[in-house]
Amino acid sequence: MGTSMKRAAAVLAVCLFAGCCRETPEEHLSDYVSTLVGTQSDWTFSTGNTYPAIALPWGMNFWTPVTAGSEDDGWAYQYGAHRITCFKQTHQPSPWINDYGAFSIMPFTGDDGVEHASWFSHKSEVARPYYYSVYLADYDVKVEITPTERAAVIRLTFPESDRSGVAVNPFRGGEVAFDGNLASGYSVQNHGGVPEGFRNYFVIKSDVPLEGTFATAKGEVVTLYAASSFISPEQALLNLTEVEGRSFDEVCAAAQERWDSVLGRIRVSGGSEERMRTFYSCLYRSTLFPRKFYEIDGDGNPVHYSPYNGKVEPGFLYTDNGFWDTFRALFPLLNLVYPEVNAEIQAGLANIARENDFLPEWASPGHRDCMIGNNSASIVADAALQGITSREDLEALYKALVHGTENVHPSVGSSGRKGHEYYNTLGYVPYDAGINENVARTLEYAYDDWCIARIAELLGRPEEEVALYENRSANWRNVFDPSSRLMRGRNLDGSFQEPFSSYKWGDAFTEGNAWHYTWSVFHDIPGLREAMGGEPSFREMLDSVFRVPPVYDDSYYGFRIHEITEMQVADMGNYAHGNQPAQHMLYLYDWTEEPWKGQIHIRETMDRLYSAAPDGYCGDEDNGQTSAWYVFSALGFYPVCPGSGQYAVGTPLFPRAEVELPGGRRLVVTAKGPGPVYNDIRLDGRRLHDRFLDAAALKKGAKLSFR
Ligand code: CA
């Protein structure tokens, strides 16, 4: 009952709102999106750990309503909260990484000089990517926000009051000054990843003086035009021209049009309203990060403040991304559907390679110490192999990748490779060498080496150089324990870790256990199958992930981390879709004689663990990765091994899906019958002899049919 009431409320909200931006009755895909999906989260239990980002796709500045009482709280907006404390410009990619450069505004009436906060209700809230509005009950003020890439327009509708105001908060350490109708200042907020002197310079123009209070008549509208720059106050004013002289409705209509166009690259049809809402909410999340960190100078050229050297540099830069998460499906999705965006991202990565020695693994905005692996190699390889990267940029990227295989960043342990000395000589990062999460590192470095070998080939590097990385890509075998048929810690002396529990999270692994990480041989699934003893044994091990109980050993962490709880409550044994390491696993049934088992699990995961409700994810969404899994899965295929140019087939969710590809080509996916099991899979009418598709074949434009 609750669900249907919420849906009715959401539909009503859309109808009431439709008059604001557009009068036309045409379908707006952006109105299927709820930005509240994933906001019913806290640090003990994540259903997404998202916030309702008011943004353009990949925009430099997002805005969000805030329910948190402290500017330090990463859980800025929680669905269950009752009060809104402010609206902030945000750059936060994840509550665990937190925000930087944020500042906020809060309208009020009556008393000022106190902590501002107001009760609100989701019944008087509209949360779309291009438009957010909420009624602040305590102040009788309606707030509406609409974005451009680096600016926003905020429309405030006040009641009759002789003391109305707008509080501007530059956050701790920042400053704001008022000059008539212009507020200007800067925020220095950060949680690392910035050089000395980092500032986000902001400007807010209004039609009233923002210092102090002013009188308003009932229904009086105050409009704020806000923008910022990481470069300079002058650049902030330049960025403000994105909105200056334009009405709220004009900016809102343009924002909606932009979202409709980006979301419209994939048109699904024939499914239920609920599936449409889930699909487009996931596609929205897949097109937010990494975000632009570059600005456009007075001559119209891209230019950026570099968080890597503190200088203003020419060209593109994108940031706010954990590659450990997003190499898996998010970047392959960009390469298929939005290659022009990834072209800018890759150019930005090449700029990073010129501005410092290391590629980032977790950037926000510069190097952050979070997670493991060296998966920038995958990000670079998948794009390069699909022809997205220029030769000059690829040379710079390759140099940085090679550097990363032999070094670890002096102050940020997750950039480069911790344990490279062992890995490059012994062939694995030992369990007893004092380096945490050593098996996970070995597995990811091995896959990353395979990616580097592909780039080396592409660049025509000497044979022995290609062979070096190719050989290292087999290092996963060094941590495979034939007796348990699982990955397991390996000591310096070659013996396996004792005692060993397949249920132990962390320790040799990263936010997972042996059941999750054993499948992280993305580039050599047939090799893993043979190592396990062949097809029946490989299939048994896949089956076992679901058969074993959802028990766990959390002694490495000393408490039950939220990812463990999210695995348990899903009722899928030890399958953990709420975290990223195992998200490709369901597709490994394509390497067995029972691929239909994968289709059943994939469909169950889509239908049961995803929705368009505030608790619509089953763990941290993580910058589009968990959403991109859904988008690919709904299309009926998935990139198990980015860099291979190959997809594994699954089970399409909609009777019809059309993907708009570059050059006016189209990929059309059709499904006859409800599924989830489809045996007759055809590409351009020819039945597939296996379960795999070439990205190159799809990108030419193709018809993929499932029966
Ligand atoms: Ca995660």
Side-chain angles (χ1 to χ4, degrees), residues 217-465:
K218 181 166 175 57
E220 188 167 333
V221 169
V222 171
T223 307
L224 310 180
Y225 294 87
S228 69
S229 165
F230 297 108
I231 294 171
S232 67
E234 296 73 29
Q235 181 68 42
L237 283 168
L238 210 50
N239 294 346
L240 192 67
T241 60
E242 289 183 354
V243 290
E244 257 182 324
R246 301 170 74 194
S247 72
F248 183 96
D249 288 347
E250 191 183 336
V251 172
C252 185
Q256 183 171 26
E257 203 172 295
R258 172 81 177 127
W259 273 110
D260 285 341
S261 150
V262 165
L263 298 171
R265 290 277 181 96
I266 307 181
R267 291 189 176 270
V268 293
S269 55
S272 66
E273 165 99 11
E274 192 160 335
R275 281 180 175 174
M276 294 287 280
R277 294 182 62 207
T278 305
F279 180 86
Y280 284 108
S281 294
C282 280
L283 192 53
Y284 149 78
R285 280 291 307 182
S286 304
T287 50
L288 285 174
F289 298 100
R291 87 173 77 242
K292 291 175 182 178
F293 200 72
Y294 69 86
E295 304 173 43
I296 306 297
D297 70 12
D299 298 325
N301 297 316
V303 58
H304 64 272
Y305 165 81
S306 170
Y308 298 94
N309 66 15
K311 296 178 190 160
V312 177
E313 299 273 7
F316 296 114
L317 195 79
Y318 280 68
T319 190
D320 293 324
N321 220 258
F323 290 165
W324 181 83
D325 300 290
T326 55
F327 83 84
R328 302 163 198 271
L330 189 273
F331 274 87
L333 183 68
L334 295 180
N335 287 333
L336 179 66
V337 188
Y338 309 100
E340 76 285 4
V341 174
N342 202 20
E344 288 191 2
I345 297 171
Q346 298 298 321
L349 281 172
N351 287 332
I352 295 171
R354 296 179 188 108
E355 290 159 19
N356 87 131
D357 293 335
F358 290 88
L359 292 179
E361 299 302 328
W362 229 120
S364 182
H367 292 290
R368 297 291 293 278
D369 198 354
C370 188
M371 310 314 289
I372 61 126
N374 193 213
N375 302 309
S376 52
S378 172
I379 305 276
V380 172
D382 200 44
L385 272 103
Q386 300 199 35
I388 282 168
T389 318
S390 76
R391 172 91 193 190
E392 187 191 350
D393 281 352
L394 193 57
E395 299 273 7
L397 289 162
Y398 181 73
K399 189 172 164 232
L401 286 172
V402 168
H403 180 78
T405 66
E406 295 160 358
N407 293 277
V408 59
H409 192 286
S411 56
V412 184
S414 57
S415 294
R417 293 186 182 185
K418 204 182 269 183
H420 60 88
E421 311 89 332
Y422 296 106
Y423 175 87
N424 290 345
T425 51
L426 278 176
Y428 58 97
V429 182
Y431 181 74
D432 57 348
I435 296 161
N436 67 338
E437 304 175 4
N438 33 76
V439 172
R441 287 181 199 279
T442 301
L443 293 171
E444 291 182 27
Y445 295 168
Y447 162 65
D448 299 331
D449 281 335
W450 180 86
C451 290
I452 292 172
R454 302 285 74 75
I455 302 166
E457 271 178 348
L458 197 65
L459 286 173
R461 303 296 302 176
E463 260 177 50
E464 59 273 22
E465 197 172 310

Side-chain angles (χ1 to χ4, degrees), residues 324-325 511 579-580 620 622:
W324 181 83
D325 300 290
E511 292 179 357
N579 206 15
Q580 285 67 33
D620 285 357
D622 282 337

Side-chain angles (χ1 to χ4, degrees), residues 11 33 50 85 135 171 178 184 192 207 231 250 259 279 282 294 312 314 362 374 378 384 429 510 517 524 534 546 604:
V11 170
V33 177
T50 61
T85 55
Y135 174 67
F171 282 29
F178 298 91
S184 48
D207 32 24
I231 294 171
E250 191 183 336
W259 273 110
F279 180 86
C282 280
Y294 69 86
V312 177
W362 229 120
N374 193 213
S378 172
V429 182
T510 301
Y517 255 97
D524 191 8
F546 301 93
E604 181 187 357

Side-chain angles (χ1 to χ4, degrees), residues 266 268 279 333 336 587 590 595 598-599 602-603 606 628-640 646-659 667-671 676 678 681-682 688 690-693 698 704-706:
I266 307 181
V268 293
F279 180 86
L333 183 68
L336 179 66
Y587 285 89
D590 279 347
Q599 292 177 322
I602 290 162
R603 179 64 65 82
M606 277 193 273
W629 184 94
Y630 185 92
V631 172
F632 267 121
S633 294
L635 291 176
F637 53 92
Y638 187 83
V640 167
Q646 186 190 67
Y647 303 112
V649 300
T651 176
L653 190 59
F654 295 92
R656 186 179 177 86
E658 284 192 30
V659 184
L667 165 64
V668 180
V669 184
T670 55
Y678 299 97
I681 304 167
R682 291 166 191 254
L688 295 188
D690 58 19
R691 312 289 286 194
F692 308 109
L693 298 164
L698 298 193
L704 179 63
S705 66
F706 291 73

Side-chain angles (χ1 to χ4, degrees), residues 20 131 144-146 153-155 246-252:
C20 166
Y131 174 88
E144 298 167 280
I145 305 178
T146 189
V153 188
I154 302 163
R155 183 159 69 186
R246 301 170 74 194
S247 72
F248 183 96
D249 288 347
E250 191 183 336
V251 172
C252 185

